[in-house]
Amino acid sequence: MEPLARSPLFRNLPPLLLLLLPLAGSGGRTVAARGSFWHITDLHWDPSYTVTDNPGLVCASTGTRPAPNAGRFGHYHCDSPWDLIDSSINAMKVILPEPDFIIWTGDDTPHVPNEQLGEEAVLSIVGNLTRLLQLAFPKTKVYSALGNHDYHPKSQMPPGQSTMYEQMAQLWQDWLEPESQRTFQSGGYYSEQLLNKTGYRVLVLNTNLYYDQNKLTENVADPAGQFEWMDNILTRAAQKNEKAYIVGHVPPGFFEKKRSKPWFRPDFNRRYLELVQKHHAVIYGQFFGHHHTDSFRMFYDLQGNPISTIFITPGVTPWKTTLPGVEDGANNPGIRVFNYDPSTLLVEDSVTYYLNLTYANAMRERWEKEYRLCEAFQVPDASPSSMHAVLERLAGTGCDLQKYYEFNSVSYDLSACDADCRVDHICAIREVDFERYEQCLLREGTAATPLAFIPLLIPTALTIYCAAL
Ligand SMILES: *[C@@H]1O[C@H](CO)[C@@H](O)[C@H](O)[C@H]1NC(C)=O
Ligand SMILES: *[C@@H]1O[C@H](CO)[C@@H](O)[C@H](O)[C@H]1NC(C)=O
Ligand SMILES: *[C@@H]1O[C@H](CO)[C@@H](O)[C@H](O)[C@H]1NC(C)=O
Ligand SMILES: [Zn+2]
Ligand SMILES: [Zn+2]
């Protein structure tokens, strides 16, 4: 990527203003007709972050890992310092100061043991981030979903009414209609007309209820009655001819950076998939976080037609995951604008912006456009059929997989995506269903027999070639 800042013409502009330049020439579409909204997620503020020469004392979220050369905007072993959070929100204001709305999919607290937090600490962190966003966007509607880290103890969301749900609803009262307050207090989820417009709807889910780390919902058939509620809301939406977006934190399906690693319990995963298959005609987009990476998930009907897509937006925190089996799972901080058609809710495109953390710490704060979806993958829009076409490109023999792979970590990990990596990503994107995912691994897999190795030589060479571009 050639930073605009290097061009002498732009040298005297304040750094954040440079961001506006890529927006000016955004290709053949009529920009005015489009709607746009922000999606931000996984801010994971670590209030303990301090720039110091002692690599053991930089932040609590590093655990036992040293954090040498920590800078003002953060460290890949740590969650976000305040300066990074503030920088992200400022970048949002500079890039797109008047979005139609904002989707915020949670995880605000640092990755530290429960003993270092508590109900009050969690509420204080969520409260301060809420205030920051409200100060920056006082007139903008925010659809805010709970992340598994926005609770104490973490991930232990109860399948019914709780004081933490009540207090969270209090913090977000400006963003919630009265009926939303009510359902939020009793289960952490809600649904409203999108921007209070007839014919449009948003469902903000508490999918932390389905997370396999949640001990409180292990033997509950339909935690907080959310599935039944969702089924009813979507049934009524169909009757009323509404179009809907779904917003949540923990997505169904598998983590693309670790083979056979799902988040939902099996029954919950199946139920979610069935609901999307049943109601896909009213669902125009699904927006999730939790991975900290940039990816997407496809849903198909029984005939194999693409019917829905989950867009997984990368996190603001650069924190390298400690999940065993993930190699170097850090990322650069990312934020994303979606372009959509306000009359149809068709997702038209997305633009991801990022802060190169290494550069920011060494030089200065510089948010750059990372990529525009339609431009990078040569599709007309981000509809399910277009996203299926993107997947087919990734599964093909060109350089698209490598390009996607670099975006996956927000241009942090630029190494080659090898044959195993290819299978992990392709199958996670293609199959949300547990059994079909395992079948995909076998089908796409590298079952390491000597003969199977020969045709692999070509894609491997290609991967190295693409990474070197
Ligand atoms: C949140 O802001 C308040 C008021 O500025 C401050 O007292 C509190 O310490 C902040 N919370 C955290 C976790 O730093
Ligand atoms: C939503 O629209 C209805 C009818 O147009 C209006 O009465 C209501 O006050 C609006 N609600 C909000 C939160 O703007
Ligand atoms: C990020 O910045 C560092 C330091 O300037 C540079 O070496 C690296 O190539 C940059 N990464 C990207 C993706 O531009
Ligand atoms: Zn997270
Ligand atoms: Zn999470």
Side-chain angles (χ1 to χ4, degrees):
M1 191 171 309
E2 182 63 20
L4 284 163
R6 279 198 206 133
S7 155
L9 192 62
F10 302 131
R11 200 161 279 154
N12 296 323
L13 288 180
L16 277 171
L17 264 184
L18 292 168
L19 286 166
L20 292 172
L21 297 168
L23 290 179
S26 52
R29 288 161 183 279
T30 43
V31 176
R34 285 199 214 173
S36 49
F37 61 89
W38 277 111
H39 182 189
I40 52 164
T41 192
D42 295 87
L43 274 59
H44 288 287
W45 175 30
D46 186 344
S48 77
Y49 190 96
T50 321
V51 178
T52 150
D53 288 337
N54 184 337
L57 298 176
V58 174
C59 68
S61 48
T62 191
T64 55
R65 304 174 294 191
N69 308 312
R72 180 181 157 206
F73 294 103
H75 190 281
Y76 292 110
H77 288 173
C78 294
D79 278 317
S80 308
W82 184 262
D83 280 354
L84 173 59
I85 307 258
D86 199 40
S87 173
S88 315
I89 308 292
N90 275 324
M92 290 167 71
K93 274 201 75 160
V94 171
I95 297 166
L96 180 70
E98 291 183 355
D100 296 345
F101 54 91
I102 296 171
I103 290 177
W104 180 21
T105 48
D107 265 8
D108 300 340
T109 69
H111 294 84
V112 296
N114 282 324
E115 298 71 50
Q116 293 179 30
L117 291 165
E119 288 195 9
E120 239 176 89
V122 169
L123 288 163
S124 170
I125 287 172
V126 177
N128 289 18
L129 298 188
T130 299
R131 239 185 341 263
L132 183 68
L133 203 53
Q134 275 172 338
L135 280 171
F137 294 93
K139 289 180 303 219
T140 308
K141 179 81 174 188
V142 177
Y143 296 103
S144 197
L146 283 172
N148 56 298
H149 283 267
D150 306 324
Y151 207 83
H152 182 82
K154 68 181 72 141
S155 306
Q156 305 311 308
M157 273 38 177
Q161 187 271 348
S162 90
T163 52
M164 271 202 94
Y165 290 155
E166 283 167 12
Q167 290 179 81
M168 216 61 89
Q170 195 73 32
L171 290 177
W172 295 343
Q173 59 181 332
D174 291 353
W175 299 334
L176 297 171
E177 287 179 10
E179 169 64 10
S180 301
Q181 292 258 356
R182 204 187 57 73
T183 58
F184 198 96
Q185 286 166 6
S186 62
Y189 57 83
Y190 64 99
S191 173
E192 300 183 354
Q193 287 194 137
L194 182 68
L195 297 175
N196 204 21
K197 285 197 297 189
T198 306
Y200 304 94
R201 179 157 296 283
V202 60
L203 285 79
V204 178
L205 303 179
N206 179 10
T207 53
N208 307 297
L209 296 167
Y210 310 138
Y211 194 14
D212 61 10
Q213 302 297 303
N214 188 342
K215 296 184 192 74
L216 303 180
T217 55
E218 186 167 4
N219 297 307
V220 183
D222 181 9
Q226 184 172 230
F227 280 131
E228 193 189 350
W229 169 87
M230 186 176 163
D231 194 12
N232 288 336
I233 293 272
L234 291 170
T235 301
R236 262 183 281 146
Q239 288 160 358
K240 291 190 283 184
N241 246 323
E242 288 178 336
K243 303 168 191 302
Y245 281 157
I246 291 179
V247 171
H249 177 72
V250 184
F254 289 80
F255 190 30
E256 73 278 3
K257 285 178 77 77
K258 179 173 178 175
R259 185 163 298 185
S260 298
K261 170 67 186 138
W263 311 111
F264 282 20
R265 291 184 196 281
D267 279 353
F268 296 149
N269 196 74
R270 189 174 312 120
R271 190 88 185 264
Y272 189 92
L273 179 57
E274 283 167 6
L275 278 175
V276 172
Q277 285 171 333
K278 179 175 173 188
H279 295 291
H280 71 88
V282 301
I283 302 169
Y284 279 74
Q286 304 183 60
F287 307 91
F288 283 75
H290 184 65
H291 286 202
H292 302 187
T293 55
D294 177 352
S295 193
F296 62 102
R297 297 292 175 266
M298 292 304 304
F299 293 76
Y300 300 92
D301 65 14
L302 299 178
Q303 287 74 47
N305 304 304
I307 53 171
S308 192
T309 303
I310 286 181
F311 299 94
I312 298 173
T313 289
V316 167
T317 184
W319 186 80
K320 186 185 286 197
T321 182
T322 51
L323 197 63
V326 178
E327 235 176 89
D328 200 4
N331 56 280
N332 279 311
I335 55 178
R336 173 175 288 170
V337 171
F338 280 96
N339 297 121
Y340 74 112
D341 181 338
S343 63
T344 62
L345 293 202
L346 170 72
V347 182
E348 291 180 324
D349 208 348
S350 73
V351 190
T352 308
Y353 299 87
Y354 81 113
L355 185 75
N356 179 337
L357 188 57
T358 311
Y359 180 88
N361 283 335
M363 305 295 289
R364 65 196 165 85
E365 188 179 2
R366 181 181 72 189
W367 285 84
E368 301 169 77
K369 173 179 155 186
E370 187 189 29
Y371 75 105
R372 178 179 280 280
L373 177 79
C374 293
E375 188 178 53
F377 296 106
Q378 297 293 299
V379 284
D381 54 38
S383 65
S385 61
S386 292
M387 294 312 291
H388 176 68
V390 173
L391 169 57
E392 291 302 308
R393 278 175 168 273
L394 304 190
T397 52
C399 285
D400 297 88
L401 178 70
Q402 183 60 34
K403 197 191 265 189
Y404 154 86
Y405 182 71
E406 294 178 6
F407 296 154
N408 180 247
S409 65
V410 201
S411 299
Y412 166 79
D413 177 4
L414 308 181
S415 69
C417 183
D418 64 11
D420 273 347
C421 159
R422 176 184 179 279
V423 174
D424 291 346
H425 285 263
I426 298 297
C427 290
I429 296 169
R430 203 190 289 280
E431 304 292 357
V432 168
D433 179 74
F434 286 11
E435 277 114 64
R436 292 183 59 99
Y437 171 85
E438 293 299 332
Q439 289 160 10
C440 178
L441 291 182
L442 293 175
R443 198 171 59 240
E444 300 283 337
T446 55
T449 64
L451 278 180
F453 181 65
I454 292 162
L456 278 176
L457 286 175
I458 296 160
T460 302
L462 187 74
T463 299
I464 293 163
Y465 164 74
C466 291
L469 281 184

